[in-house]
Each structure stands twice: as structure tokens, then as C-alpha cells.
Amino acid sequence: MDAVKSERSAEKTREAEAARDELREALAGVDVVLPSLGVDLVSLTSDYLSPLVELGCCRADVAWKLAAALRRSAQ
């Protein structure tokens, strides 16, 4: 892997991790924890895709909390 491609890969990883961390912090502020929140590793290897943040799975009560928090913020 050449240096430019390696730096771009590192940049994409930092970007995705920062977005994941900011989302995790914002969700914690409304008492919502998504245990599977992470970075999609396949998107980090793509030359064409932007890095993706994987929301993952959660229990029904967490989904209801998240929906309620979104509704409150939309008002």
C-alpha cells in the first residue's frame, strides 16, 4: 500500500471513529446506549464509500428510548 493510500485509510478510520464517539456521547446524554455501535470495517477498505458508522442491534426498550428522545428533540 502506498503512503497516500495508507494516509487516506487512516483519515477515514479517524473520521468514522470520531463520528461514532460523538454519537455515543450524544446518545448517552439522553440515556440511550447502543451496545453494538461501531465502525463498519468493510467501508474503511473501500476506495469509493465514505466510512460508515454501524448502529447495530439493541433491545426493544432501548429502541423506544431512542424514538422518544428523537421525538422530544423534534419538537
Side-chain angles (χ1 to χ4, degrees), residues 9 11 13 15 22-23 27 41 44 47-48 51-52 63 67 70 74:
S9 178
E11 181 182 321
T13 300
E15 178 184 350
E22 188 168 331
L23 179 57
L27 288 169
L41 299 178
L44 294 178
D47 292 332
Y48 306 104
L52 300 174
L70 290 169

Side-chain angles (χ1 to χ4, degrees), residues 9 11 17 20 22 25 27 33 38 41 45 47 72 75:
S9 178
E11 181 182 321
E17 288 172 342
R20 176 207 56 206
E22 188 168 331
E25 185 178 315
L27 288 169
V33 176
L41 299 178
T45 64
D47 292 332
R72 281 193 305 272
Q75 294 176 353

Side-chain angles (χ1 to χ4, degrees), residues 42-57:
V42 173
S43 67
L44 294 178
T45 64
S46 172
D47 292 332
Y48 306 104
L49 293 175
S50 294
L52 300 174
V53 175
E54 214 170 1
L55 301 180
C57 299

